[in-house]
């Protein structure tokens, strides 16, 4: 498996998640400290939760804070940019939403794969439920923590099939790896499935059933 490609996807996902956290902080009228905390939590929170679950203490984000630093830089760049413009120009809104959607989707796929492989490397390859959950929590955990800290219902509980795409891709990865023990095939299959499901959910506005 090409670790460099997965690392690049992690970087893209970290930047996208940090941007979403920073924008929510601005929307909630937080100060610069709050915006930084929300951006870092969104980008790194899922990985921290994953490490706690498998007993990898202290979590990797504290042992090698590279992605924390990336999220910090992104948050402050966004703070300065928004302070100068006060709002996003209308011409950019549609383009921005589309770009962040794809960065977010690639990040979700990459982080889901990360969580699964870290679980396998930790010796849990025979526990499919655990490694799929680790992929899921790595992919969506940061966003859920962000929303809770911002005092709003987590998007993963009410919007499109974001969480479901992560679970489906994780199951496919774990299943194919169990059959073939081939990391590359399983990662590519799960990654592609997550991207396809997210695209279809966006294009056709899929949402899970609700009572009201």
């Amino acid at each position: 498996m090409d670790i460099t490609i997965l690392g690049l996807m992690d970087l893209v996902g970290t930047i996208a998640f940090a941007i979403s956290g920073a924008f929510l902080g601005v929307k909630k009228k937080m100060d610069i400290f709050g915006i930084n905390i929300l951006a870092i939590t969104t980008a790194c929170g899922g990985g921290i939760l994953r490490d706690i679950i498998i007993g990898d203490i202290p979590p990797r984000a504290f042992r090698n804070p590279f992605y924390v630093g990336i999220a910090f830089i992104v948050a402050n760049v966004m703070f300065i940019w928004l302070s100068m413009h006060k709002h996003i120009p209308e011409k950019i809104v549609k383009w921005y939403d589309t770009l962040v959607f794809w960065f977010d989707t690639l990040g979700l796929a990459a982080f889901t794969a990360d969580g699964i492989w870290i679980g396998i490397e930790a010796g849990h390859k025979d526990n499919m439920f655990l490694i799929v959950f680790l992929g899921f929590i790595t992919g969506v955990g940061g966003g859920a923590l962000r929303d809770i800290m911002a005092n709003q219902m987590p998007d993963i509980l009410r919007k499109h099939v974001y969480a479901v795409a992560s679970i489906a891709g994780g199951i496919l990865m774990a299943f194919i790896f169990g059959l073939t023990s081939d990391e590359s095939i399983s990662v590519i299959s799960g990654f592609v499935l997550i991207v396809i499901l997210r695209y279809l959910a966006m294009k056709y506005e899929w949402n899970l059933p609700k009572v009201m």
Side-chain angles (χ1 to χ4, degrees), residues 183-202:
E183 295 182 2
S184 296
I185 293 176
S186 54
V187 164
I188 292 172
S189 300
F191 189 97
V192 169
L193 178 61
I194 291 172
V195 171
I196 290 174
L197 287 176
R198 285 283 290 149
Y199 170 74
L200 293 176
M202 179 270 295

Side-chain angles (χ1 to χ4, degrees), residues 168-189:
I171 290 174
L172 183 62
M173 288 182 205
F175 180 73
I176 291 179
F177 182 77
L179 289 178
T180 67
S181 296
D182 190 309
E183 295 182 2
S184 296
I185 293 176
S186 54
V187 164
I188 292 172
S189 300

Side-chain angles (χ1 to χ4, degrees), residues 44-53 59-62 68:
C44 305
I48 292 173
L49 290 174
R50 174 203 64 218
D51 292 345
I52 291 173
I53 290 170
R60 298 176 185 221
F62 297 99
V68 175

